[in-house]
Amino acid sequence: MANSSLNDEVVRVVRSSEDKRDYQHLTLGNQLKVLLVHSPDSQKAAASVAVNAGHFDDPEHTQGLAHFLEHMLFLGSQTFPEPSAFGHFLNLQGGQHNAWTGTEFTNYHFDCNANALPQALEYFSAVLKSPLLSESWIDKEISSIESEFRLKQNDELRRLYQVHKVTANPKHPFSQFSVGNLNTLRHDEHGTLKSKLQRFFNEHYVAQRMRLVIAGPQSLSELKQLAHRYFADIKQQRIGKASINVPLYRQEQKGVWITVKPVKAAYRLILTLPLPSIDADYPHKTTSFIAHLLGYEGPGSLFSALRSKGWVNSLSAGGGISGSNFKDFNINIQLTESGRRQVEPVVQWVFAYIRKIEADGIEDWRYKERRITTEMSFLYQEPTPVGELANQLAVNAFHYSPEDTLYGDYRMDGLNHSYAAKILQQMTAENARITLIAPDVRTTEIAPIYHTEYGLSPISKEQFQLFLSTPDDFNCQLPKPNRFLNSRFKPLPLEAGGSLPTRLEDSAQLQLWHLQDRDFRVPKGHIYLSLRLPAVTSSAFHFAIARLWSELMIDALNDDLYDAEVAGLHFNIYPTQNGITIHTTGLSAGQIPLMQHLIRRALKTRFARRRWQDLKQSLLSNWHSAHQSQPLNKLFAELNQQLQSGLFRLSDLAYELEKISFRQFTVEIAKLFSPVHVTALAHGDWQKSEALELGQLIKKSLPDQRSVPNKRLPVKRVRDFCSQQLIVPAEHSDIAILLYFQGEDDTSTEQISFMLLQQLIHQPIFQALRTEQQLGYAAGSQYFSVKRLPGILFFLQSHEFDAEKLYQAIHDVIKVQVAELEDLTLKEWHHAKSVLKQQIKTVDRNLRVRSQRLWGAIQLADTGFNRQQELLSALEHCQLTDWLERIRQRLGDKSQALRLQTETLTDSNSL
């Protein structure tokens, strides 16, 4: 299973045998607990601090204070008072910082080029010791908090979350408003905002309530010196933190129905089963095991039974909020329209299945199967970049013993029978909170802040009796032994070969590529099949049919292949702008038989009319609700659709799908798969013979011999548009604007020019629009390439300003930044090139990333697989004067610029 780090001073960190990193725990003199990670192959370094303080610690009079402090912390320190100093430094060093606030924890983290770690830690530690908390920036950042709040005001999850809070115990800190806004973050008799922030910081940001992780290619001894140098003087506090003893729910808040009216039509049922904290059970994962049994989707499962009745589209178990003194165990069900009318029988089936698990499901062999798959996930997990790793481990350090900082998420020592029985005894209707989300529910209340309509009422005696009974036709079964668990846990022997994919076949119907990976020696792999089907992308009508067919195929295969998913074999089917793609991934031993099964079923499966209707309605609901609370995302989607053939607006797809009958669907599907050309890649530990076997089964399975040329669709040019300004109707009241500048060609020189532009201006653009001018919470710039044709876009979303104001602000900031580029020194120029060079040279961090890169290259006919070398060569030859002239031309050419902006819908018709 697991090895231990060779150089640990105190504990031996359990790690995978494939993990080449070294780990060391230490405690500084101020009692700050630190984990050091020596990552020898990383070109980046990172650090993360988790603080045991979140919105549960907000004073009742200033809700959202923990979140507000998170926003303020990176805006300067006593040592480095300039608000943008840390961000500017990280930008120059190829890195970034970020933070998040949770219920009981807040996390701060950054990454950068490895050689910049010491100075980055100096900046980082300074804000953790003495943040500036400038009053002028407090006033500005309040606007950012308000913008963030307004951005999500119509977000369904936030609206539901607020109902959850107002129906919980008002004495529990969960009931408080976590985000904050202008109404909760203000000066009052309790003090100024600055004094409140300072008090909160002084109380909670102390060494004993922090966990620090530092990761990089530096040796453990070097990392240890850095930890002592910069963090040993963080203040400590002898007073321990008071635990939460108030229950999350009062007794009258259990055994209840909660009804919620959504913004958009949706039918969801959530059974919440409140439990005590499960933190101490992490070595056994008892609730995770029970969730596996409840959420099982194979033959005979609860989901399979409810789906066969036409009542549900999806079912998952085990999610829900958790904290130091509570755990919500949720069973989350997406209902069909028919299921909406059968809510009580659905709940009856759920409780009947829970009783079946209690009676027959808690068996050691089932737990052992689950443990095997979890252990395989741990042993062969793909390497995580140091930035993500540090962030994850800083929080883990609070929840797991030091030796389990890595292994805690996977550890399953054995089935705790008594604890499982205790949990299942609490999973009753008397303890349940049953939430029904539907547009036609009765509501009596309006939740504050997000104004969600909801109702709360007790479960009736008759309903309790129903939920205690077993349905007459109850036929659910517990999972049987998993036939997909295999015994090959080692990669296949290496054959002679290179490090790039080899084309094994290139015929009129099939192009087959293969690479046995020589670096990532794990028994895993990826198979991609791209079916180039001109019929699929010929119109929104046909694309909608292909998308529905993909959803139906995944659903139909669920019974057959859910055990394969559990055993580490995964698949997906989805339409693209070329046709349809089938992708399998996971353990390599079963993937070719899995692909064979997928292809065979894809051509022969017939669908039941009722299931077709249910998934059609689910897809329509998703398309109608997409982007409703995200105007900026709607602009990104519109830009992609404008630039690329074979992509369609979701509104157009929904319009076409609405009209399609079941008979019409079955007729049209038969036409989609001819003519066809297949491009395939097998990348992992497979040998050449197995790749050829894959090629043979593909050719045998093709519906006919008519082929289609394997041609790339060109990117649409902005200069050919009849208008360089597009208005996109949106339901959200915020205004969003996006300004896109398209490159002249897809040469490496052009790509490098735009990459350098983004490298040099993205931090000052964000600083000007978001931090200084407070024009909106979502603001910035982004390098944006479409099939290697480069470009750059600038974006803003605001609840306060109109489109012209936002456009002028972006225009002015671009003008200022271009002027400042004229004064760029050669030292700054070479440094920017050096940072970009490091980014381009970044090696594939795992098998998945390499597979995605190689598959992307094949799709773009870049079969030399040498883009990295071409970009590095272009970067090397890029001269400042030539680059400045090119950038002036590109940003000054109005024929290559496209402006998109939202317009709030009144009675307008959407695009």
Side-chain angles (χ1 to χ4, degrees):
M1 174 200 65
N3 293 334
S4 299
S5 181
L6 301 175
N7 300 309
D8 293 354
E9 287 186 353
V10 182
V11 295
R12 298 176 69 80
V13 176
V14 179
R15 66 181 187 182
S16 162
S17 56
E18 300 297 316
D19 189 349
K20 306 308 178 188
R21 293 163 169 157
D22 284 317
Y23 302 87
Q24 179 179 339
H25 281 281
L26 60 95
T27 303
L28 303 182
N30 59 353
Q31 300 307 301
L32 175 63
K33 294 183 178 180
V34 183
L35 175 60
L36 309 174
V37 183
H38 167 57
S39 185
D41 298 327
S42 178
Q43 295 184 14
K44 288 283 189 84
S48 177
V49 163
V51 184
N52 185 197
H55 93 77
F56 280 10
D57 300 286
D58 287 343
E60 190 174 346
H61 55 72
T62 311
Q63 297 179 29
L65 188 62
H67 181 219
F68 189 40
L69 178 59
E70 173 231 303
H71 274 241
M72 290 298 304
L73 209 75
F74 281 136
L75 292 175
S77 64
Q78 300 295 336
T79 311
F80 303 102
E82 174 57 43
S84 61
F86 189 24
H88 180 66
F89 171 78
L90 291 175
N91 179 52
L92 293 176
Q93 299 299 332
Q96 59 183 350
H97 60 61
N98 211 334
W100 54 261
T101 305
T103 54
E104 296 178 79
F105 297 95
T106 303
N107 181 275
Y108 301 90
H109 52 275
F110 74 87
D111 67 359
C112 62
N113 291 334
N115 59 4
L117 179 61
Q119 193 171 348
L121 288 175
E122 186 177 8
Y123 280 109
F124 191 50
S125 62
V127 298
L128 293 166
K129 288 183 278 193
S130 54
L132 192 61
L133 304 179
S134 160
E135 290 188 5
S136 62
W137 283 102
I138 286 173
D139 293 339
K140 288 185 177 181
E141 203 60 26
I142 281 282
S143 297
S144 174
I145 292 284
E146 178 72 9
S147 294
E148 182 178 352
F149 162 66
R150 288 179 176 269
L151 183 70
K152 298 292 183 71
Q153 249 188 318
N154 287 326
D155 182 86
E156 297 284 17
L157 291 179
R158 293 243 178 146
R159 298 174 77 255
L160 179 62
Y161 199 47
Q162 191 60 30
V163 171
H164 192 171
K165 286 174 176 290
V166 298
T167 57
N169 187 346
K171 294 185 178 180
H172 194 284
F174 172 73
S175 65
Q176 298 192 152
F177 176 43
S178 57
V179 177
N181 60 19
L182 288 173
N183 293 325
T184 67
L185 297 169
R186 61 184 188 272
H187 312 298
D188 56 22
E189 67 272 18
H190 301 283
T192 64
L193 266 178
K194 181 179 175 69
S195 67
K196 293 177 183 181
L197 289 166
Q198 194 67 59
R199 280 199 302 270
F200 191 97
F201 177 83
N202 292 341
E203 179 181 353
H204 297 289
Y205 282 58
V206 295
Q208 291 93 330
R209 298 184 190 178
M210 292 182 178
R211 299 292 183 269
L212 168 66
V213 178
I214 306 176
Q218 292 85 351
S219 68
L220 289 174
S221 61
E222 290 177 273
L223 294 173
K224 182 178 179 180
Q225 289 174 5
L226 292 171
H228 278 286
R229 183 187 310 163
Y230 294 114
F231 297 93
D233 56 344
I234 286 180
K235 64 180 181 292
Q236 55 181 316
Q237 188 179 78
R238 302 297 179 188
I239 303 171
K241 185 173 181 178
S243 58
I244 301 171
N245 297 313
V246 180
L248 180 60
Y249 305 114
R250 293 170 170 171
Q251 192 56 44
E252 65 269 20
Q253 293 170 328
K254 294 187 283 187
V256 297
W257 290 99
I258 301 170
T259 54
V260 178
K261 191 166 289 189
V263 175
K264 285 284 189 178
Y267 302 95
R268 284 178 61 200
L269 183 67
I270 304 172
L271 280 79
T272 297
L273 303 166
L275 301 171
S277 172
I278 61 171
D279 287 353
D281 185 59
Y282 87 81
H284 302 281
K285 305 286 188 298
T286 307
T287 50
S288 182
F289 173 60
I290 293 171
H292 162 64
L293 297 177
L294 261 170
Y296 181 70
E297 297 181 17
S301 64
L302 173 64
F303 169 71
S304 181
L306 295 176
R307 183 184 59 177
S308 68
K309 288 179 169 294
W311 292 350
V312 308
N313 282 328
S314 67
L315 184 152
S316 62
I321 61 170
S322 61
S324 56
N325 80 327
F326 65 90
K327 162 63 183 173
D328 273 1
F329 186 102
N330 284 356
I331 301 165
N332 201 321
I333 299 170
Q334 184 187 36
L335 298 168
T336 62
E337 290 187 10
S338 174
R340 163 65 186 96
R341 298 188 292 272
Q342 301 292 335
V343 169
E344 290 183 15
V346 170
V347 175
Q348 182 192 20
W349 275 74
V350 171
F351 281 116
Y353 194 69
I354 290 173
R355 291 192 295 273
K356 185 170 185 63
I357 292 173
E358 187 176 12
D360 304 317
I362 307 303
E363 295 186 295
D364 288 308
W365 71 265
R366 287 196 177 91
Y367 184 92
K368 184 179 178 182
E369 276 198 353
R370 186 64 177 164
R371 184 185 181 212
I372 289 171
T373 58
T374 303
E375 197 74 9
M376 289 295 292
S377 297
F378 178 69
L379 287 173
Y380 297 113
Q381 61 185 300
E382 298 191 325
T384 307
V386 290
E388 294 176 28
L389 183 70
N391 196 359
Q392 170 192 336
L393 297 185
V395 177
N396 282 5
F398 275 106
H399 295 295
Y400 304 136
S401 60
E403 64 270 19
D404 284 339
T405 312
L406 288 164
Y407 188 45
D409 289 341
Y410 303 88
R411 182 176 170 183
M412 294 183 73
D413 287 355
L415 181 53
N416 189 336
H417 286 266
S418 60
Y419 186 61
K422 182 179 178 182
I423 286 174
L424 287 163
Q425 286 169 7
Q426 297 176 70
M427 291 184 168
T428 64
E430 287 78 9
N431 287 325
R433 292 162 53 88
I434 306 175
T435 303
L436 175 62
I437 303 160
D440 59 342
V441 295
R442 291 184 61 191
T443 60
T444 56
E445 308 288 338
I446 296 179
I449 303 173
Y450 291 94
H451 311 299
T452 316
E453 295 181 54
Y454 77 98
L456 177 69
S457 59
I459 297 172
S460 69
K461 291 181 180 179
E462 294 76 18
Q463 289 168 335
F464 277 131
Q465 289 300 313
L466 176 67
F467 300 157
L468 282 169
S469 67
T470 300
D472 293 338
D473 57 344
F474 185 79
N475 58 354
C476 292
Q477 301 172 10
L478 292 162
K480 291 181 168 54
N482 192 332
R483 71 186 192 276
F484 288 95
L485 288 177
N486 69 78
S487 57
R488 179 167 77 76
F489 299 145
K490 297 293 181 184
L492 292 168
L494 273 175
E495 296 180 314
S499 59
L500 297 176
T502 302
R503 186 160 33 198
L504 301 182
E505 180 169 340
D506 193 2
S507 64
Q509 289 190 296
L510 173 65
Q511 187 180 93
L512 175 64
W513 295 86
H514 166 250
L515 174 63
Q516 186 181 37
D517 202 286
R518 313 185 76 80
D519 300 320
F520 302 111
R521 298 294 295 137
V522 291
K524 299 172 75 173
H526 291 258
I527 297 175
Y528 285 95
L529 257 66
S530 173
L531 281 65
R532 183 174 289 274
L533 301 166
V536 167
T537 56
S538 61
S539 69
F541 171 80
H542 292 97
F543 196 91
I545 287 175
R547 176 62 191 277
L548 180 56
W549 176 86
S550 299
E551 296 293 327
L552 285 161
M553 278 304 308
I554 292 171
D555 183 73
L557 290 163
N558 197 64
D559 273 2
D560 287 354
L561 299 177
Y562 187 76
D563 279 340
E565 290 272 344
V566 172
L569 290 166
H570 311 290
F571 73 94
N572 197 9
I573 304 170
Y574 51 93
T576 70
Q577 62 189 108
N578 295 319
I580 290 174
T581 293
I582 303 175
H583 176 209
T584 64
T585 181
L587 298 173
S588 56
Q591 270 196 68
I592 292 179
L594 171 63
M595 182 60 80
Q596 185 174 19
H597 183 79
L598 290 173
I599 294 173
R600 185 171 63 248
R601 289 289 303 273
L603 298 173
K604 295 181 179 179
T605 298
R606 298 294 178 263
F607 308 111
R609 182 188 294 267
R610 184 170 66 182
R611 194 65 191 143
W612 176 87
Q613 183 63 38
D614 289 343
L615 288 182
K616 174 185 172 182
Q617 287 306 125
S618 176
L619 196 54
L620 284 171
S621 177
N622 290 339
W623 283 344
H624 284 310
S625 62
H627 311 316
Q628 68 180 34
S629 60
Q630 302 163 321
L632 201 51
N633 285 359
K634 191 164 188 178
L635 292 187
F636 285 128
E638 180 67 20
L639 178 62
N640 269 304
Q641 186 272 327
Q642 290 287 338
L643 296 178
Q644 300 187 69
S645 301
L647 295 182
F648 304 94
R649 297 186 189 96
L650 296 184
S651 56
D652 293 341
L653 294 176
Y655 175 78
E656 296 294 344
L657 190 58
E658 289 271 14
K659 303 183 296 184
I660 297 170
S661 68
F662 180 71
R663 178 178 176 81
Q664 188 179 18
F665 173 83
T666 55
V667 170
E668 293 296 332
I669 276 296
K671 303 175 185 176
L672 289 186
F673 291 92
S674 180
V676 59
H677 179 275
V678 179
T679 303
L681 167 68
H683 173 223
D685 72 325
W686 294 290
Q687 296 177 336
K688 180 179 178 180
S689 59
E690 291 174 296
L692 291 170
E693 178 190 342
L694 172 66
Q696 288 302 313
L697 80 88
I698 292 170
K699 288 191 288 186
K700 288 178 183 177
S701 303
L702 290 175
D704 61 35
Q705 297 303 307
R706 289 197 301 149
S707 63
V708 61
N710 188 16
K711 296 188 301 183
R712 285 178 60 192
L713 296 171
V715 179
K716 299 175 187 176
R717 303 310 303 255
V718 171
R719 59 172 172 253
D720 297 329
F721 288 14
C722 57
S723 172
Q724 264 74 45
Q725 181 173 340
L726 299 175
I727 306 298
V728 180
E731 297 182 7
H732 199 282
S733 60
D734 279 11
I735 296 297
I737 187 165
L738 187 155
L739 190 58
Y740 167 69
F741 293 89
Q742 190 174 62
E744 184 65 32
D745 53 53
D746 63 0
T747 62
S748 298
T749 299
E750 190 79 352
Q751 292 172 43
I752 282 294
S753 296
F754 278 90
M755 288 180 183
L756 278 167
L757 177 61
Q758 169 65 2
Q759 171 69 33
L760 285 161
I761 70 170
H762 80 92
Q763 201 277 335
I765 289 283
F766 177 83
Q767 179 72 15
L769 296 176
R770 157 70 169 73
T771 308
E772 294 174 1
Q773 299 183 45
Q774 290 289 331
L775 291 169
Y777 182 72
S781 64
Q782 181 180 320
Y783 174 75
F784 187 79
S785 68
V786 181
K787 296 181 180 178
R788 302 278 165 87
L789 180 66
I792 192 167
L793 51 86
F794 303 88
F795 56 88
L796 253 177
Q797 180 174 322
S798 174
H799 68 274
E800 192 174 352
F801 302 106
D802 61 27
E804 281 306 315
K805 167 73 174 177
L806 300 183
Y807 171 76
Q808 194 59 48
I810 291 175
H811 180 272
D812 292 346
V813 167
I814 293 172
K815 187 175 180 181
V816 168
Q817 288 305 311
V818 170
E820 291 189 2
L821 290 175
E822 300 283 352
D823 298 326
L824 204 65
T825 66
L826 282 176
K827 181 180 179 181
E828 291 169 328
W829 169 248
H830 289 303
H831 180 78
K833 288 178 66 175
S834 174
V835 170
L836 182 57
K837 181 178 180 180
Q838 289 299 316
Q839 293 173 357
I840 296 171
K841 287 177 66 177
T842 300
V843 296
D844 301 316
R845 64 177 186 261
N846 54 45
L847 187 72
R848 175 182 57 84
V849 170
R850 180 168 293 172
S851 288
Q852 290 173 341
R853 178 176 62 81
L854 295 174
W855 180 241
I858 290 169
Q859 292 295 94
L860 292 174
D862 178 15
T863 53
F865 304 102
N866 59 349
R867 179 171 181 257
Q868 185 182 65
Q869 291 75 22
E870 290 178 349
L871 289 175
L872 288 172
S873 175
L875 180 61
E876 180 69 25
H877 292 92
C878 189
Q879 300 299 314
L880 177 57
T881 52
D882 296 337
W883 176 79
L884 283 170
E885 178 60 28
R886 184 177 295 110
I887 292 305
R888 280 194 295 266
Q889 290 177 2
R890 300 298 179 267
L891 296 183
D893 186 354
K894 293 184 179 179
S895 70
Q896 293 282 63
L898 182 64
R899 170 181 170 179
L900 297 92
Q901 66 190 55
T902 59
E903 180 177 82
T904 303
L905 275 171
T906 49
D907 297 323
S908 307
N909 294 320
S910 60
L911 287 168

